[in-house]
Amino acid sequence: MTRIGVFCCWCGSNIGGVVDLDRVREEVSKMPGVVHAECYRYFCSQPGQQMIEDAIGEHKLTGVVIAACSPSMHEGTFRKAAERAGLNRFHVEIVNTREQCAWVHQEEQEAATEKAIGLIAAMVEKTRQNEPLSPGSAPVVRRALVVGAGISGVQTALDIANGGCEVILVEKEPSIGGHMAQLSETFPTLDCSQCIMTPKMVDVAQHEKIRLLTYSKVEEVTGNVGNFHVKVRRMSAHVDRDKCTSCGICIEKCPVTVTSEFDEGLAARKAIYVNSPQAVPNTPVIDAEHCLYLENGKCGICAKVCEIGAVDYEQADEILEFDVGAAVVATGFDEFDPNLKPELGYGRYENVITGLEMERLCSSSGPTMGEIEIDGKKPKDVVFIQCVGSRDETVGNEHCSRICCMSTTKQAFLVKEKIPDAAVTVFYMDIRAFGKGFEEFYDRVRKKGVVYRRGSVSEIYRKKDRLVVRAEDTLLGEPLDLETDLVVLAAGLVPRHDADDVAKLFKLSRSTDGFIKESHPKLHPVETTTNGVFLAGCSQGPKDIPDAVAQAGCAASKVLSLLESGKLTTEAQIAEVDEERCAACAMCVTACPYDARTLDEERNVAEVDEALCQGCGACVAACMNKACELKNMTTRQIGSMVSQLGDRS
Amino acid sequence: MTLRLERGTFTTTFTQRLKELSGQDLFTCYQCGKCSAGCPSASVMETPPHAVVRLAWLGQEKALRGLNTYWLCAACLTCDLRCPKGIDVSRIMEALRVMFLRPREEPDMVAPDSLPKDMLSRIPQQALVAGLRKYTK
């Protein structure tokens, strides 16, 4: 006989303030099969869980329905509590009365209450028909994939490798370091970015547990948590990486010049190049798009001057395959393109530059050796503009980029250091100096004479060889026209242009700001909607270096605890096949996104690989003969849930 | 002048009406002043556009009444184009004109046939509609 207990959680005032829980309990008590119903302020708390355990024993419950927050929050908590009381965890079901009732119907309390009662009635019906299940286990491959080798990817790779697991670190660019390698000093401590980054880059290259693949892209990811199979395309560098001694003669003699991506277009590079003298690895690559030999067979100088014959025009792309147990996506960000704000004159005036371009100008390894100069002239007046492309709905970016307040403050400081008599003005709307030491640094910079004026710049125009910045000082309520020699736009951080491809590759979701979505903003900040895939750094949202490093460490520890566990509990609520009905049409094989369905051609039936099946139900929908069913989510169960809801409406 | 803020100011009928008429959610304004900085008429306005939005936000009907700001707005739409929060400031100006005109005993009238034909093709849409609305009270 089924004996169901229903527990209605207040969730503080989250649910209790909207849904009339006394009435819910009253209605629920009348439902067939329900022998116990109670309400409590926080069922997730220790005493709350104890109440559930006690009730299971006292009322000999065979099923538990908990009306509370989303199952993604506490399903595990409550199932563990039931297990402690001796009930199979799959006899516990959650009704989401918080998100689906209280939160979305805050203004319609009666309707919210009715909806809660209906949803509970449906779930009671389902629970009555639940079967006890036991999850299986699968082995875990003790190797991790890290995608992207900026500071986040580098730190994640080092932490995992130091923990004893192998790492495949894949970077699209010819060398590692990402955006951080481009920076000059870092706020608020003014550590030189190169000085703190380069040793880590070298560690990565030398670590015996890390296989570094630069100039490479992940092309395909199949399989599942614990057992992913990845294909990586190692793009041809047209240089034999083993032979090359990085002497640099090929670069010196190459006749083709191209604007340098690493120097943000402020300097030139050759068609055979390394990003910077500190690049790791230091082996040059040939940019096939611009190489004369690869284009039309003429030139060939680099091959002629290379004494050891490392240049290889015939070298083809390689496809490498790996099995990994977990993956970390650390693909970073793009800088906002200020061409989308035409009134600021970027791209029209050469002395309007972005924050990253300013970093290259300030960097002692940059194109001007750290001198802030435009066309060889040092600016006397410098204007910084905050929030370019951040907090701006007209370009679709509602978010704050978090780093620009402080990176601008740091750059203003550097201008004052390098050109002491320069007049520096920062236009801002709000200064967000939230991090450790940030407010103190902001103070220090203002004491140095940097003028902060509250207001957004409306337009920039040229006047002879200078620029005029037109803004409103909103604190004075006065308009102003400010003549200047250099304008630096604090262009915000936006999702990488290929964020969508990365999301598709790993089956991840993206949040409304376009960055990759974590599975819970507070409690699972590095996990994703795909089990075994984690996030680090700006792929998840804008963050500064300390936050990126902290998140990288967090992702690494999650990866290690997964890989070190050795085996994995597999999903128990999976698909099963009624072999009598199966016609072996293979619709399920095509429908399955996890490669869990195969055809046994001898017996002529479709099979389920229990280790791979995630219980998504795609095969159930695809099956023409109704031969597929999802355990504890059978067609019959769904039918009775729907009829419960139908009876009540 | 000291502004007097009372409980419920933010939901005054004045502010709500302004929101309805303009279709703009002025509560999202973060007062960056970009509208004022780019406004070609701002130099002759008694109060710059962003401050008018602020006063409207605070429900300051008295302070807004009689200002020349919304009459000098030429509906050139520069502010609309540049506002980072996507607020059409010119629509707020238009809504203010409407709100202060409607209750008048004898509204200013623009007779459609008094407008030269060649002007009709050049006149900004918003200015034309505003003129006719005055006619209908």
Side-chain angles (χ1 to χ4, degrees):
Chain A
M1 202 185 96
T2 45
R3 299 177 61 82
I4 308 277
V6 181
F7 301 87
C8 306
C9 186
W10 280 63
C11 193
S13 58
N14 269 314
I15 302 171
V18 179
V19 177
D20 179 354
L21 287 173
D22 285 334
R23 195 173 117 61
V24 171
R25 191 188 51 200
E26 203 176 297
E27 287 298 314
V28 165
S29 309
K30 296 179 204 157
M31 291 173 189
V34 175
V35 294
H36 175 73
E38 67 180 312
C39 303
Y40 184 59
R41 201 160 277 276
Y42 299 105
F43 273 116
C44 57
S45 67
Q46 204 277 331
Q49 292 185 43
Q50 191 60 50
M51 284 165 76
I52 298 173
E53 286 175 50
D54 293 346
I56 291 172
E58 192 182 324
H59 300 281
K60 300 192 172 49
L61 300 181
T62 59
V64 168
V65 172
I66 292 161
C69 53
S70 156
S72 67
M73 190 81 186
H74 278 312
E75 187 180 68
T77 315
F78 294 126
R79 287 187 160 173
K80 263 185 220 147
E83 245 168 9
R84 287 196 295 272
L87 188 68
N88 183 283
R89 60 193 283 123
F90 295 96
H91 283 303
V92 178
E93 294 288 356
I94 309 286
V95 178
N96 187 352
T97 44
R98 189 178 72 177
E99 281 87 338
Q100 293 175 4
C101 299
W103 281 359
V104 286
H105 305 296
Q106 245 161 23
E107 311 298 325
E108 317 141 278
Q109 307 201 341
E110 243 172 70
T113 306
E114 286 310 311
K115 184 174 176 184
I117 296 169
L119 292 177
I120 293 171
M123 197 54 90
V124 166
E125 271 313 301
K126 174 183 187 292
T127 311
R128 280 154 61 99
Q129 299 169 47
N130 272 5
E131 299 285 337
L133 302 175
S134 48
S137 73
V140 171
V141 181
R142 283 185 79 241
R143 186 182 298 118
L145 168 75
V146 177
V147 188
I151 180 61
S152 309
V154 161
Q155 187 66 47
T156 312
L158 282 174
D159 288 349
I160 296 173
N162 289 338
C165 287
E166 265 180 68
V167 179
I168 312 291
L169 178 58
V170 179
E171 168 59 50
K172 183 169 60 54
E173 295 295 321
S175 60
I176 63 175
H179 282 118
M180 184 170 164
Q182 292 178 286
L183 307 183
S184 55
E185 276 72 22
T186 55
F187 63 80
T189 49
L190 298 173
D191 295 297
C192 151
S193 184
Q194 288 282 351
C195 312
I196 53 178
M197 184 74 185
T198 318
K200 280 190 191 292
M201 291 170 18
V202 175
D203 281 354
V204 159
Q206 292 175 346
H207 206 295
E208 55 174 9
K209 293 266 183 193
I210 299 177
R211 170 122 193 238
L212 175 60
L213 299 172
T214 48
Y215 218 39
S216 302
K217 276 182 185 167
V218 178
E219 287 212 319
E220 196 183 294
V221 181
T222 49
N224 227 295
V225 54
N227 292 282
F228 290 107
H229 187 75
V230 292
K231 280 189 189 161
V232 178
R233 177 180 292 272
R234 190 158 211 213
M235 291 179 281
S236 163
H238 300 289
V239 173
D240 187 323
R241 292 166 170 110
D242 296 326
K243 278 190 192 168
C244 174
T245 57
S246 309
C247 70
I249 185 94
C250 51
I251 300 174
E252 199 185 308
K253 299 292 181 193
C254 174
V256 183
T257 52
V258 187
T259 51
S260 158
E261 297 87 352
F262 186 77
D263 280 323
E264 292 292 323
L266 296 174
R269 63 162 171 85
K270 297 294 182 68
I272 183 165
Y273 69 105
V274 288
N275 269 343
S276 77
Q278 294 78 29
V280 175
N282 213 349
T283 321
V285 297
I286 295 181
D287 166 4
E289 208 180 311
H290 295 101
C291 170
L292 294 177
Y293 188 87
L294 292 172
E295 201 179 352
N296 54 24
K298 289 175 188 155
C299 186
I301 291 175
C302 51
K304 277 176 219 147
V305 297
C306 182
E307 285 179 5
I308 46 161
V311 174
D312 175 7
Y313 298 118
E314 305 301 319
Q315 194 184 61
D317 290 1
E318 267 179 283
I319 302 287
L320 305 169
E321 302 194 26
F322 303 96
D323 286 320
V324 295
V328 179
V329 174
T331 46
F333 64 94
D334 279 343
E335 191 185 36
F336 171 75
D337 174 12
N339 280 306
L340 297 172
K341 304 293 293 173
E343 70 269 25
L344 298 179
Y346 180 77
R348 204 160 65 241
Y349 309 130
E350 75 284 353
N351 38 354
V352 177
I353 64 173
T354 69
L356 261 185
E357 290 168 24
M358 185 64 173
E359 290 295 336
R360 293 312 297 151
L361 280 188
C362 294
S363 169
S364 49
S365 61
T368 54
M369 308 311 251
E371 297 298 325
I372 300 173
E373 285 172 353
I374 296 286
D375 279 345
K377 277 194 294 188
K378 284 193 194 320
K380 287 277 169 214
D381 293 276
V382 181
V383 164
F384 288 90
I385 302 175
Q386 301 265 247
C387 293
V388 175
S390 309
R391 308 168 73 201
D392 189 335
E393 285 166 32
T394 56
V395 292
N397 299 329
E398 276 188 74
H399 66 273
C400 161
S401 294
R402 290 179 97 237
I403 63 148
C404 336
C405 283
M406 279 301 120
S407 69
T408 296
T409 304
K410 173 207 62 187
Q411 289 175 358
F413 180 89
L414 293 179
V415 173
K416 278 292 197 186
E417 286 275 285
K418 292 172 193 261
I419 316 170
D421 60 339
V424 182
T425 308
V426 179
F427 284 97
Y428 73 102
M429 265 77 73
D430 303 281
I431 290 293
R432 294 176 173 174
F434 54 84
K436 190 168 182 171
F438 288 10
E439 186 67 28
E440 294 89 327
F441 183 60
Y442 174 43
D443 264 349
R444 182 174 162 199
V445 172
R446 276 180 303 160
K447 280 181 197 154
K448 230 176 153 58
V450 173
V451 178
Y452 277 75
R453 301 196 80 160
R454 193 189 178 284
S456 171
V457 169
S458 179
E459 58 197 349
I460 293 171
Y461 57 92
R462 204 202 293 271
K463 191 174 171 189
K464 290 181 187 155
D465 57 345
R466 304 191 87 198
L467 294 173
V468 180
V469 173
R470 168 163 286 187
E472 173 91 7
D473 185 319
T474 58
L475 296 178
L476 295 175
E478 278 173 9
L480 61 109
D481 282 341
L482 197 65
E483 284 194 28
T484 184
D485 308 303
L486 175 64
V487 174
V488 183
L489 308 177
L493 272 52
V494 294
R496 281 195 65 88
H497 57 279
D498 57 0
D500 206 41
D501 300 338
V502 174
K504 281 197 184 115
L505 201 55
F506 290 95
K507 303 189 183 82
L508 308 176
S509 332
R510 295 166 72 195
S511 23
T512 44
D513 55 15
F515 290 98
I516 294 172
K517 194 173 178 179
E518 63 287 330
S519 85
H520 189 282
K522 297 179 187 71
L523 300 180
H524 302 293
V526 299
E527 290 89 336
T528 65
T529 40
T530 303
N531 254 343
V533 179
F534 302 91
L535 298 173
C538 293
S539 60
Q540 182 255 345
K543 50 184 69 65
D544 58 11
I545 296 165
D547 284 3
V549 171
Q551 200 187 21
C554 178
S557 87
K558 300 272 177 183
V559 167
L560 282 172
S561 61
L562 171 68
L563 300 190
E564 290 296 331
S565 66
K567 66 176 187 198
L568 206 74
T569 314
T570 56
E571 194 63 47
Q573 283 180 277
I574 54 174
E576 56 187 345
V577 181
D578 180 347
E579 296 190 351
E580 299 279 298
R581 287 189 169 191
C582 177
C585 69
M587 292 291 273
C588 53
V589 179
T590 345
C592 180
Y594 301 101
D595 299 328
R597 303 301 308 262
T598 45
L599 215 55
D600 182 338
E601 293 191 4
E602 271 178 31
R603 292 170 55 235
N604 224 24
V605 287
E607 291 186 325
V608 180
D609 184 327
E610 299 194 348
L612 294 182
C613 177
Q614 297 298 298
C616 72
C619 54
V620 180
C623 182
M624 312 281 245
N625 286 357
K626 298 191 168 65
C628 287
E629 283 286 14
L630 212 53
K631 289 180 184 172
N632 279 355
M633 189 53 92
T634 59
T635 317
R636 197 166 149 239
Q637 280 175 301
I638 296 172
S640 45
M641 288 172 84
V642 173
S643 57
Q644 268 299 325
L645 288 171
D647 289 349
R648 290 184 175 270
S649 60
Chain B
M1 183 182 67
T2 308
L3 287 187
R4 200 171 152 70
L5 281 183
E6 283 166 4
R7 198 164 170 274
T9 297
F10 293 88
T11 51
T12 54
T13 30
F14 176 79
T15 312
Q16 291 307 317
R17 185 90 184 110
L18 186 62
K19 266 177 80 177
E20 271 170 41
L21 279 175
S22 63
Q24 303 303 307
D25 191 351
L26 49 149
F27 290 123
T28 63
C29 169
Y30 57 52
Q31 290 287 301
C32 69
K34 195 159 181 158
C35 49
S36 302
C39 178
S41 318
S43 57
V44 283
M45 285 174 175
E46 287 161 357
T47 300
H50 79 280
V52 165
V53 175
R54 178 77 177 157
L55 285 167
W57 183 18
L58 297 173
Q60 298 298 312
E61 185 178 355
K62 269 188 201 150
L64 286 168
R65 187 180 291 278
L67 284 183
N68 70 0
T69 306
Y70 41 91
W71 294 114
L72 292 174
C73 166
C76 71
L77 313 188
T78 306
C79 48
D80 302 3
L81 190 72
R82 292 180 181 168
C83 174
K85 299 304 286 180
I87 301 171
D88 285 3
V89 186
S90 67
R91 284 177 188 268
I92 293 177
M93 298 300 160
E94 166 64 0
L96 285 168
R97 288 194 288 267
V98 169
M99 286 174 75
F100 287 121
L101 268 182
R102 280 190 183 170
R104 279 163 65 163
E105 293 284 311
E106 287 173 48
D108 299 337
M109 290 185 187
V110 178
D113 51 11
S114 69
L115 296 169
K117 273 225 170 68
D118 64 322
M119 194 199 223
L120 286 176
S121 60
R122 286 181 292 120
I123 198 165
Q125 180 202 28
Q126 200 170 4
L128 180 66
V129 175
L132 298 177
R133 195 175 293 161
K134 286 169 199 166
Y135 191 58
T136 57
K137 193 173 177 182

